[in-house]
Each structure stands twice: as structure tokens, then as C-alpha cells.
Amino acid sequence: MIVASILLILVAVVLLVAGLAGGSSQLLIISIAASLLAAVALVVGARQATAGRATDRTAPRRGWPTGSRTAHGAPAREPSEGTAYGPPAQEPDIPVQHVPPTVGYGWRQPPEPPSGSDLRPRPAPGPGTDEVPVDEPDIQQVGAEEAALVAQLSTPVHVVQGRPRYHLATCPHLLDRPPSRMPVAEAVEFGFTPCARCAPVSALLADAWPS
């Protein structure tokens, strides 16, 4: 449109000169009309050029995919003017600082409280093992059904560390021996056996299922 407006201006100038030289009013009118058309064409051409520049600025650039992301998931930046197009540059990996362990350099983890497994009795007598102490009571003789019933109870009994029997609180064998308290089911699971002096199986079954 700008080229057309320039041509119309040249035509208007030629007609204007011819009309003035020949005294023709018709040529003057045509010259004025050509000038107006040239002005309109110039305005339309200027608006089209401005709209084209705005479209070029907002449109995505060729070779750079819209919505692309880097290797770390962040949106990729478009290349600035004057740089070559190509794949997006990856961000450098930040090294993780190694923190040396503190164990042995000042702070130490507090000792854990003793668990019930520390109260397990000594191994049964046999080759290569210690014998049961001579002052240890015998095992209370019970049937398989009674032993199975006692193993299901949660009634507390008393045991002595390093000794294989469990006792009632009133057992005379506990005198001068600091006992530990635990459920009878847990004592049976750890391998403790009932004391023959206080007969805990009979007492526990009588309390659990009174006749």
C-alpha cells in the first residue's frame, strides 16, 4: 500500500502541473482526488505495518517449541536476540555437600533400655553348657493342656536374670534375689519354666478359671 500511495502522489503532482499549465480545472480536480487516495493508501499501509510488527513480537520463534522445559522440569527460557537457535541449555547439577557422621566425634547415641530378651534363662544342662544352680527349684510338672492355657495368660509372674524358673510374688526362692516382672505368656515364650516350690501354674489357672 505504501508503494501505491507513492505512485498516486506522483500522478497527482503530474496532473497538478499539467492542470496549472493548461488552465484545465478537470485536471486539477483529478490531481486533488489522486492526492486524497494517496493519503488513504499511506494510512492503511502504515497500520498494516504496525500490526505485522506486533504479530511478529507475540508469535513464538521458529525452532523453539512452546512450553518446553529443561531437564530439571523448569520452563525453558527463549534465546535472546543475536544467539543461535538450538536445544535448551541444561542447568548445571548442584553437588550435594557430604556431611560426615557424628558418631565417634563427640555425640553418641544414648544406650537403649534393656529389653525383655535380656532376661532369658541360661541354656538347659547338656554337653558344653553350664549346669543349673544347685539351689534352683525343680520344674513344676504340668500337663500339655495346662501348659497351653498358661501360655495364653497375661498375668504377671517374677523371674530372676540367669535363672530358668518363673515364680509367684510370694515364692520364698525370691528372697535376697532381685526379680523382674513380666507376663507369664512372655515368660513361657522366653523359655522360663514354672517353679515347683510356689506352683505358679496351679495358682494362675485357679485365678483365671475359678471352680
Side-chain angles (χ1 to χ4, degrees):
M1 296 298 292
I2 296 177
V3 176
S5 64
I6 294 174
L7 292 177
L8 289 174
I9 291 173
L10 292 178
V11 172
V13 171
V14 172
L15 293 176
L16 178 63
V17 173
L20 293 176
S24 174
S25 59
Q26 186 176 1
L27 292 177
L28 294 177
I29 294 173
I30 296 174
S31 173
I32 294 173
S35 300
L36 293 177
L37 291 176
V40 172
L42 184 61
V43 172
V44 173
R47 289 186 177 181
Q48 289 181 352
T50 303
R53 292 194 190 120
T55 304
D56 293 339
R57 291 179 181 178
T58 56
R61 299 175 181 177
R62 179 182 298 178
W64 193 266
T66 304
S68 60
R69 293 180 175 271
T70 62
H72 299 280
R77 299 180 180 177
E78 295 184 3
S80 57
E81 296 182 359
T83 59
Y85 292 104
Q90 297 183 354
E91 298 180 2
D93 295 334
I94 301 176
V96 180
Q97 184 178 3
H98 175 69
V99 180
T102 57
V103 178
Y105 295 92
W107 179 87
R108 293 186 179 181
Q109 185 176 4
E112 297 181 357
S115 59
S117 59
D118 297 334
L119 301 175
R120 293 186 178 182
R122 294 178 181 176
T129 60
D130 297 335
E131 296 290 337
V132 176
V134 294
D135 59 344
E136 189 71 12
D138 295 333
I139 301 176
Q140 181 187 3
Q141 300 299 324
V142 296
E145 183 178 358
E146 294 176 338
L149 293 175
V150 169
Q152 300 176 2
L153 299 178
S154 59
T155 308
V157 293
H158 293 76
V159 297
V160 179
Q161 186 175 3
R163 301 278 182 152
R165 309 285 184 259
Y166 65 86
H167 313 266
L168 297 175
T170 57
C171 183
H173 184 71
L174 298 179
L175 294 177
D176 299 331
R177 294 183 177 90
S180 299
R181 191 176 180 182
M182 67 171 57
V184 64
E186 187 175 351
V188 172
E189 181 181 357
F190 285 159
F192 290 96
T193 53
C195 170
R197 296 183 63 179
C198 60
V201 174
S202 302
L204 294 175
L205 292 180
D207 292 341
W209 291 282
S211 56

